[in-house]
């Protein structure tokens, strides 16, 4: 096992928990209230997450990578199509068939984690 990779992973996990501790401290000291947390959460999910995903993909991407990496997005897209078809197959089996539940079921069946 490569030790430098292990160190990078451990540091990333520690960094994440350090932010948890900072957030807990800010809530405990009443520096941040629940209304602010909702705003921070929406900003992180709707703005920062797509930026980080794009930066992760495009930051180290070279033209030569197209020749070897094209299969990954194609495979992800094909998996999404396959799972959408499976979702439509299982859709009649839902117990409560409200439009919201149907849409949520199809979204979860189709997307899973392939968008990341």
């Amino acid at each position: 096992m490569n030790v430098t990779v292990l160190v990078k992973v451990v540091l990333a996990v520690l960094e994440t928990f350090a932010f948890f501790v900072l957030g807990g401290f800010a809530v405990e000291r009443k520096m941040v209230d629940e209304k602010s947390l909702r705003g921070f959460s929406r900003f992180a999910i709707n703005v920062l997450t797509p930026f980080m995903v794009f930066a992760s993909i495009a930051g180290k991407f070279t033209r030569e990578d197209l020749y070897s990496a094209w299969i990954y997005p194609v495979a992800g897209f094909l998996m999404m199509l396959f799972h959408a078809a499976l979702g439509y197959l299982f859709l009649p089996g839902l117990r409560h068939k409200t439009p919201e539940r149907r849409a949520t079921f199809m979204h979860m069946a189709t997307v899973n984690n392939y968008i990341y």
Side-chain angles (χ1 to χ4, degrees):
M1 174 180 250
N2 193 346
V3 176
T4 58
V5 173
L6 179 65
V7 169
K8 286 181 181 181
V9 169
V10 169
L11 287 176
V13 170
L14 288 176
E15 181 180 302
T16 301
F17 281 104
F19 277 108
F20 290 164
V21 169
L22 285 174
F25 179 77
V27 169
E28 182 182 307
R29 298 282 186 206
K30 307 259 189 266
M31 298 165 69
V32 179
D33 60 355
E34 190 169 327
K35 186 177 179 182
S36 301
L37 283 177
R38 276 188 248 129
F40 287 145
S41 297
R42 293 178 92 190
F43 178 74
I45 290 170
N46 295 335
V47 177
L48 295 180
T49 301
F51 282 163
M52 289 189 296
V53 169
F54 180 77
S56 173
I57 292 170
K60 300 173 185 167
F61 191 76
T62 63
R63 190 176 297 228
E64 289 78 30
D65 293 335
L66 283 175
Y67 301 116
S68 60
W70 64 270
I71 192 68
Y72 302 119
V74 170
F77 185 71
L78 290 175
M79 282 188 262
M80 287 173 57
L81 284 176
F82 177 71
H83 286 113
L86 279 178
Y88 278 115
L89 256 167
F90 290 116
L91 199 57
L94 283 177
R95 188 171 296 171
H96 303 287
K97 297 180 183 176
T98 64
E100 294 84 9
R101 286 181 185 251
R102 292 169 60 94
T104 301
F105 176 77
M106 284 306 299
H107 175 76
M108 295 305 291
T110 302
V111 175
N112 288 317
N113 285 324
Y114 302 124
I115 61 171
Y116 294 107

